[in-house]
Amino acid sequence: MADPADDETSGEMADTKNDAQASETMNLTGGEDAGDFDGVDVDDTKKRHFGELKERYFQWKSQPFKLPRYYKLQTDDNARKYSIWAVNFFIACSAVNTKMLNPNFAIMCQPGASGDSFESTEPFGFNSATYFLPMTTLLGVAMSSVFIGILSDRIGRKIVMLVLAWISAVGSIVKFFTKETFWGFSASNFAFGFFLGNLPVGMAYVGDIETDKMEKDNMLGVLVGCFVLGNSGGGIIAVLMNDAGLFAPLWVGAGLMAMSAIVGHIYMIEPGDSRLGNIHDSKITIDLFAEEEKVNRPLTIDKKTLWNIVGGALLDNIGSTGLFPLCLSPLAMEQFYTQFVEVGKEPIMTIDAYQWLSVCVALLVIPSTQMTPYVFTKIGVAGTCVFGNLFTALVTGVLLAIGNMAATDLAFGFFVFVMYAGFPFTVFSQLTTGPMLDVIAPEDKIGFVQGLNNSSMSFGMAIAPWAFGILADYTSSNISIITGIAFSILAAVINAILVWHPLMGRPKPKVPAPKKRFAHEDEELVNKILDGEFVDPELVFDINRDRGIHGKPALIPRVRPYSEEKDHLESLAEQVCAAAKFREDMYDRILNGIASNKSDPNNFDFSVEEVCEIMNSVRGNEEELMAQSFADLGAWMGEYLADNGYDPHTSSVLLKQMFMIAFPSISRELEFTPNNIEERLVKAKRVMAKYVRETREEPFTVTSVLGSGPAIFYS
């Protein structure tokens, strides 16, 4: 049985502990006086106040809590990864639903071609009816995109994505039951198209959670890739389900949208406070040399630039219609299928081939997303856009020429080759609109501007095919395609204005690592080194050693012209002994480590291989900078000799001989290896030791070095 005294002592100890915790809390919340709870006279009011605070503190401490998920978005890499992929899945499933029935539209609009074909498409002809169906969906997407973007700015990205997904799932089912008539199906297509425009929400989400420009561009590329895969995936599902009926894929689409909503509900995390976007660092492993380019967003929208981008995007999408789908249908359809079927011959292009060609061409956007970041660095975002516009006009013109040749297997082969080889480059212009709008978007308008982007794209892709289809019905396919070429050229002219925009032109070349300061390095010290000033060699070594360990090249100082230093040669020469002695000691330390490592592998901080790797990293591989330094140093030497009575223009052979004596060969191998490192360091040490000895005996001058002897020869 426990002793009551023990219980009392235990209670006293617990009270003492609680009082200490409360006292600590008072210090944190109430200043110096707040800590005077025990052992100091305070009035009754303060005691009661502190007692209440103590009680409230322990109540607060004992209450369960749940950390808001948006903190995990910035602190938990797995949660962040799953959230991003949930958004990508949303986008892919929505794209599947948008394009799922596209390969079947041409069959739907031919009465009698299938049991599911519409009985009538009046008042439209075949071409205009075929393009009217996708127009209804994309028109809904275009009209809703701006409002959806604004809505997501105000109430959040996740709730908007979930609502769109569930309504789209229901919409796919409703569309299946309106398949009996052309106009009934068109009406349901239009109505539920309003809920398929989630791409701007996804792009805005990326802008919310990532501030590093390079990483953000990569994430947007993946997002667009998922969108493209969804477009192609929907068409592939339609082709594979031909036997099940033209409208059967709608059930698959409904299931995918429901699944995306469930996945998004579980894994997608609302960004929360946008200021937290600056916290996350994917390189949290303390990469001191990480080179990040942060996005500095404007406070207001540059409306002139905004409408320039949106207008150019609209013209671009109208012009792209001349290439795809018009070059495929009606041009290729008429040339390689219809004219053969009408006379009872075997067509060169079958319906299955047409469907697969129309579906798989969208996959070519994926290599485009991988190429555009590189092209951006060469000609800028706006320049890439103009290139895409002009290339679209060129490829469309070539396809038009091939399509008007005699229909043969060879002509069809060239047609497919040109379309598939050229299409990835034509998409460049469409992939630039998002990045151009992003750089002019304020923090609270990201969804709005990306909504404008999606709206202009969808509006162009909705109206243009249908309008060109009507033009083809009333004139000819050739005139429709030529009109598309004209729009592409006009888009290039409009977008060319943006080439001179400071944020959209060719980016300024990045400062190479040997000529730049990293964030953790001392700015004044690095600037002195880069400017060619004398700096304590140990400080220079510390900086370059850290760079080498992290695989970065050493700083490359500017070689000051001789004219800048000719009046200060004495002060320049005074530091050579300290610099040479430091090099000699450093070589000794490395050689000692290598020797110790031979007998005891654990007696060396770095292995020989690691030392070689560090020294090779320090040397760097910036050939252009190295060549410039070599040239500048050679010019300095020549000017020095000429200014000090050596007449290098008449004594070049002798001076080269003297130079080789003063600077004997250390190695002809550029890189350090485990086989040559000892020999190189020993030879370099002997050269440094020679300078140390001579400078201690007499004042150092360049003349004394060039004239010293005898020569040091190495076997």
Side-chain angles (χ1 to χ4, degrees):
M1 183 173 178
D3 192 303
D6 291 339
D7 293 340
E8 183 178 351
T9 303
S10 176
E12 290 176 355
M13 291 175 66
D15 289 342
T16 302
K17 180 179 179 182
N18 290 342
D19 289 345
Q21 290 176 336
S23 178
E24 182 179 357
T25 304
M26 306 312 157
N27 277 318
L28 292 174
T29 58
E32 293 182 0
D33 293 339
D36 300 334
F37 187 72
D38 290 319
V40 179
D41 292 332
V42 293
D43 58 45
D44 292 339
T45 302
K46 283 189 176 182
K47 282 188 176 181
R48 285 197 302 270
H49 175 65
F50 294 153
E52 291 174 359
L53 284 180
K54 174 182 176 181
E55 183 179 353
R56 286 165 56 192
Y57 166 74
F58 287 114
Q59 288 178 351
W60 169 78
K61 185 179 178 182
S62 62
Q63 287 177 349
F65 67 93
K66 186 176 181 180
L67 188 70
R69 289 186 75 201
Y70 59 79
Y71 288 114
K72 283 191 173 184
L73 190 62
Q74 306 302 334
T75 60
D76 187 331
D77 284 342
N78 283 331
R80 178 183 173 89
K81 177 178 66 177
Y82 295 145
S83 180
I84 292 169
W85 278 109
V87 173
N88 291 341
F89 190 55
F90 268 127
I91 300 301
C93 291
S94 181
V96 166
N97 272 262
T98 305
K99 300 286 187 178
M100 178 169 282
L101 298 182
N102 279 29
N104 295 342
F105 287 152
I107 305 172
M108 292 178 188
C109 295
Q110 287 185 1
S114 168
D116 286 336
S117 298
F118 298 119
E119 293 182 0
S120 172
T121 59
E122 293 293 339
F124 301 126
F126 169 73
N127 286 322
S128 52
T130 299
Y131 293 124
F132 184 79
L133 290 176
M135 183 201 77
T136 55
T137 301
L138 291 174
L139 201 58
V141 172
M143 294 174 66
S144 66
S145 288
V146 176
F147 304 106
I148 288 174
I150 295 174
L151 188 64
S152 73
D153 283 337
R154 293 180 179 176
I155 69 172
R157 316 294 184 201
K158 181 174 181 177
I159 184 65
V160 171
M161 294 285 259
L162 290 173
V163 170
L164 294 179
W166 283 117
I167 295 179
S168 295
V170 174
S172 292
I173 299 173
V174 172
K175 286 194 285 185
F176 181 83
F177 289 105
T178 60
K179 65 180 181 177
E180 299 301 326
T181 65
F182 175 78
W183 284 105
F185 185 73
S186 297
S188 61
N189 252 4
F190 174 72
F192 290 102
F194 277 84
F195 304 97
L196 291 172
N198 62 6
L199 181 60
V201 184
M203 298 180 80
Y205 185 84
V206 171
D208 289 336
I209 68 172
E210 186 55 64
T211 59
D212 178 59
K213 188 175 186 303
M214 182 176 294
E215 184 64 25
K216 180 167 68 66
D217 287 344
N218 289 336
M219 291 171 64
L220 286 174
V222 173
L223 189 73
V224 172
C226 291
F227 177 73
V228 173
L229 282 175
N231 284 338
S232 297
I236 291 172
I237 291 171
V239 174
L240 294 176
M241 296 184 67
N242 270 341
D243 293 340
L246 298 179
F247 296 90
L250 289 169
W251 291 102
V252 178
L256 286 174
M257 291 309 302
M259 186 184 298
S260 72
I262 294 171
V263 170
H265 178 75
I266 296 172
Y267 291 108
M268 183 180 175
I269 301 175
E270 183 66 37
D273 191 338
S274 62
R275 292 171 299 175
L276 295 176
N278 295 318
I279 296 175
H280 182 82
D281 181 4
S282 59
K283 303 177 182 65
I284 202 68
T285 53
I286 314 184
D287 183 357
L288 301 176
F289 296 88
E291 301 180 48
E292 295 186 352
E293 186 178 353
K294 298 296 181 182
V295 178
N296 297 316
R297 296 198 175 277
L299 299 177
T300 59
I301 297 178
D302 181 348
K303 293 183 179 179
K304 182 179 178 181
T305 302
L306 171 68
W307 292 114
N308 195 146
I309 297 171
V310 172
L314 179 60
L315 293 172
D316 173 49
N317 281 281
I318 293 174
S320 297
T321 302
L323 170 61
F324 183 81
L326 289 183
C327 280
L328 194 56
S329 176
L331 181 62
M333 179 69 81
E334 292 174 350
Q335 187 73 354
F336 302 110
Y337 176 78
T338 305
Q339 68 170 332
F340 287 91
V341 173
E342 288 177 347
V343 297
K345 293 183 178 180
E346 186 73 21
I348 294 174
M349 180 181 70
T350 64
I351 289 295
D352 283 344
Y354 161 76
Q355 288 181 318
W356 282 111
L357 284 174
S358 64
V359 165
C360 293
V361 72
L363 292 173
L364 298 175
V365 178
I366 296 176
S368 299
T369 61
Q370 302 303 309
M371 289 188 287
T372 45
Y374 173 77
V375 181
F376 289 168
T377 63
K378 297 300 180 183
I379 59 177
V381 181
T384 304
C385 185
V386 174
F387 173 83
N389 297 146
L390 295 176
F391 206 84
T392 299
L394 175 63
V395 173
T396 306
V398 174
L399 290 176
L400 179 62
I402 296 174
N404 281 276
M405 295 178 181
T408 63
D409 289 336
L410 182 62
F412 179 66
F414 273 114
F415 187 93
V416 174
F417 171 76
V418 172
M419 171 173 279
Y420 272 68
F423 191 79
F425 300 98
T426 67
V427 184
F428 281 5
S429 53
Q430 294 169 326
L431 295 177
T432 57
T433 310
M436 287 194 293
L437 285 172
D438 185 76
V439 298
I440 66 169
E443 191 72 44
D444 60 342
K445 294 290 189 297
I446 301 174
F448 168 68
V449 297
Q450 294 298 353
L452 279 180
N453 173 31
N454 199 45
S455 180
S456 64
M457 289 176 59
S458 299
F459 190 77
M461 290 188 293
I463 298 296
W466 177 65
F468 283 144
I470 294 177
L471 183 61
D473 284 339
Y474 284 94
T475 56
S476 68
S477 300
N478 288 352
I479 292 178
S480 292
I481 294 172
I482 291 171
T483 305
I485 294 173
F487 271 98
S488 292
I489 295 173
L490 181 59
V493 174
I494 297 298
N495 288 321
I497 300 172
L498 300 170
V499 172
W500 286 273
H501 192 285
L503 297 177
M504 300 174 199
R506 182 178 180 180
K508 295 179 180 179
K510 289 187 176 181
V511 178
K515 289 290 188 181
K516 69 179 294 183
R517 180 186 71 87
F518 291 102
H520 73 288
E521 294 175 339
D522 185 275
E523 183 175 5
E524 182 180 1
L525 182 62
V526 170
N527 287 340
K528 283 185 176 181
I529 297 172
L530 290 175
D531 194 44
E533 293 185 34
F534 176 80
V535 175
D536 187 309
E538 188 165 356
L539 296 177
V540 179
F541 171 76
D542 286 342
I543 291 176
N544 289 335
R545 177 202 58 205
D546 288 343
R547 286 174 165 241
I549 291 173
H550 289 83
K552 300 293 182 181
L555 292 167
I556 297 182
R558 176 176 74 99
V559 179
R560 293 186 170 189
Y562 175 73
S563 57
E564 287 187 22
E565 299 184 318
K566 61 183 298 184
D567 296 328
H568 311 285
L569 293 179
E570 291 77 10
S571 61
L572 180 65
E574 286 174 0
Q575 287 87 17
V576 70
C577 181
K581 186 67 174 67
F582 176 80
R583 285 286 183 104
E584 183 184 8
D585 292 343
M586 182 182 68
Y587 295 153
D588 283 343
R589 185 173 295 277
I590 297 174
L591 287 168
N592 179 66
I594 293 174
S596 301
N597 185 245
K598 290 179 179 179
S599 57
D600 182 4
N602 297 320
N603 193 32
F604 193 32
D605 291 338
F606 299 96
S607 68
V608 176
E609 290 77 10
E610 289 172 329
V611 172
C612 292
E613 183 179 349
I614 292 171
M615 298 187 77
N616 290 328
S617 296
V618 167
R619 181 182 182 276
N621 57 1
E622 297 283 348
E623 299 295 337
E624 186 175 344
L625 291 178
M626 292 164 64
Q628 184 62 51
S629 292
F630 300 160
D632 292 344
L633 187 59
W636 192 98
M637 293 287 210
E639 291 179 30
Y640 170 85
L641 292 171
D643 195 44
N644 286 272
Y646 282 90
D647 296 330
H649 60 292
T650 61
S651 308
S652 59
V653 175
L654 174 61
L655 291 173
K656 284 189 285 186
Q657 293 169 333
M658 295 170 65
F659 191 86
M660 288 188 292
I661 292 173
F663 300 100
S665 174
I666 293 176
S667 176
R668 291 294 182 90
E669 298 180 51
L670 294 180
E671 293 193 346
F672 284 90
T673 67
N675 293 328
N676 69 20
I677 185 170
E678 286 184 87
E679 181 184 5
R680 290 184 64 164
L681 292 177
V682 168
K683 290 181 178 180
K685 170 183 163 50
R686 291 184 62 183
V687 173
M688 294 300 113
K690 176 176 181 293
Y691 287 138
V692 171
R693 286 196 307 272
E694 292 190 357
T695 51
R696 284 175 177 170
E697 294 171 1
E698 59 177 310
F700 173 83
T701 64
V702 177
T703 307
S704 67
V705 173
L706 291 176
S708 64
I712 302 174
F713 293 103
Y714 299 119
S715 57

